[in-house]
Structures are given as structure tokens and as C-alpha cells.
Amino acid sequence: MTTAFGFSPHAMAEYHRVAGQDERRRLFDLYMQNFRDHRISPYDFAPFDPIGVKITGAASEETDPAAVDVAVDFTAWDAQAAKYLDGYRFDSFSLHLQGLGGGTFHSRSYGSFGPYRQGTPGYRALMKKYASQVEDHLRAKGRLSKAYIYWFDEPEEKDYEFVKEGMAEIRAAAPGLARMLTEAPGPALAGSV
């Protein structure tokens, strides 16, 4: 059975009163070993080594997005993926896509990518350049089927249009990335998730 378990490295470090990156990494790995032993996959197996994203070019709201590029660096993240996805055999992970908005039933926010706000042509162009690289890399490494985007938590009906807009942005940028939502299935969100 596929699992997905929320886990906070910050709360872990606070609880155990550890400081310093090396100590946090060692403690995190002990937790991950326990997850492995109990066949539980955490949302994020690489909280200290995210996928690197760098916008290159003179980006501004007025800049033609064709003149702006996105460089994606998987080096540190791939090392953790080899350890935890391949070695520990975690079967799923929540993929953080930079630039997405987000929210919960309490509040929500639109995303931005570089100088471009969500919903603009510049945002869509940069998000496509970025997310398609992520999708292609995961597919090439055989990890695409384990990834899901979890960017909104437990929407209420008042949030549905916002959620559908965000899901459409993700689908347009990288149609092969799974989009997950913590909400009961129903016709209002059918096709978006």
C-alpha cells in the first residue's frame, strides 16, 4: 500500500534539542530508518536538499518570458533520492514545485515565479520551462510514478475555483505530475485532481 506521512524536521530538531545541520541530518536519518522499518513514506525525504532552481536572464514583469530561462539542479536532491527512494524503498513523495500558491481551508495565496504572478503569460511560460524539466528528470530516473504535488490542504467549497485554477496551472506546465488533494471526491473537482 502506498503511504504518505507528514513529518516536520523542524519539530524533530526542537523536540530533541539538536542544533547544527550535521546533527539534524543524523537524527532525521534515524527517523527515516524507522519509517523504512515500518514501511511508511514521508512527504519529504530531502528537506535539507531541495531541488535547486535558478532564474537566469534579466527577469522583470515587463521582460518577455522567452528571454528568461530556468536552470534546475538535481544534484543534492538526487543523492537523497538514491538513498531514500532506492535504498529505503519509500514508495511516494510530495514534490515541492517552486512558484505554486497554496492554502488550507483557513487561507490561500496565489503563486509567483520570478517576477511573474500566477495567471499571467510570464508565469505560465517560466513554470512550463521549470516543471517540464522536473517531470522529464523524474521520468528518466524512474521516479515519476512516486511523485505527487500536494499544494492545498482540505479545501472548502469556497476554495474550489481557486483549487481548480491551481491544478490547471500544474497540468499545463507538467501534465505527467500527479496532483493530490485532501478532499472527498466529487463532481465539483472531477478532472482537476
Side-chain angles (χ1 to χ4, degrees):
M1 174 171 28
T2 302
T3 60
F5 191 84
F7 179 77
S8 167
H10 176 74
M12 169 204 74
E14 247 181 39
Y15 179 80
H16 291 283
R17 300 172 199 222
V18 296
Q21 194 72 347
D22 289 342
E23 277 189 80
R24 288 174 189 229
R25 284 179 180 275
R26 278 192 293 277
L27 184 59
F28 179 79
D29 190 57
L30 290 173
Y31 272 91
M32 295 303 101
Q33 289 174 36
N34 190 274
F35 278 32
R36 175 199 60 207
D37 294 346
H38 292 91
R39 298 185 182 112
I40 299 169
S41 296
Y43 288 167
D44 186 359
F45 61 82
F48 308 114
D49 299 289
I51 296 168
V53 181
K54 183 177 181 184
I55 297 172
T56 58
S60 73
E61 287 183 40
E62 293 78 34
T63 304
D64 178 357
V68 180
D69 207 359
V70 181
V72 185
D73 181 1
F74 298 95
T75 307
W77 188 88
D78 274 345
Q80 298 307 306
K83 179 176 185 172
Y84 293 116
L85 294 180
D86 303 339
Y88 286 24
R89 302 177 59 87
F90 292 157
D91 60 11
S92 73
F93 63 94
S94 178
L95 178 66
H96 172 74
L97 275 185
Q98 183 172 314
L100 288 180
T104 69
F105 53 89
H106 294 294
S107 65
R108 56 184 139 151
S109 62
Y110 281 95
S112 61
F113 202 92
Y116 307 109
R117 294 185 47 76
Q118 184 177 335
T120 65
Y123 175 89
R124 288 187 185 110
L126 248 58
M127 183 59 82
K128 176 76 174 169
K129 288 178 182 182
Y130 160 54
S132 63
Q133 288 180 66
V134 172
E135 179 181 0
D136 291 346
H137 183 81
L138 294 177
R139 182 178 288 112
K141 294 284 189 177
R143 297 184 172 121
L144 185 61
S145 65
K146 294 181 178 186
Y148 60 91
I149 309 294
Y150 176 31
W151 66 278
F152 200 100
D153 187 44
E154 300 180 12
E156 293 184 348
E157 283 188 45
K158 66 180 174 49
D159 303 310
Y160 284 3
E161 287 307 311
F162 177 81
V163 168
K164 286 165 53 173
E165 286 174 32
M167 294 296 190
E169 294 280 9
I170 298 166
R171 182 176 43 232
L177 293 176
R179 300 169 309 278
M180 194 271 279
L181 187 66
T182 49
E183 179 65 337
L189 294 169
S192 292
V193 183

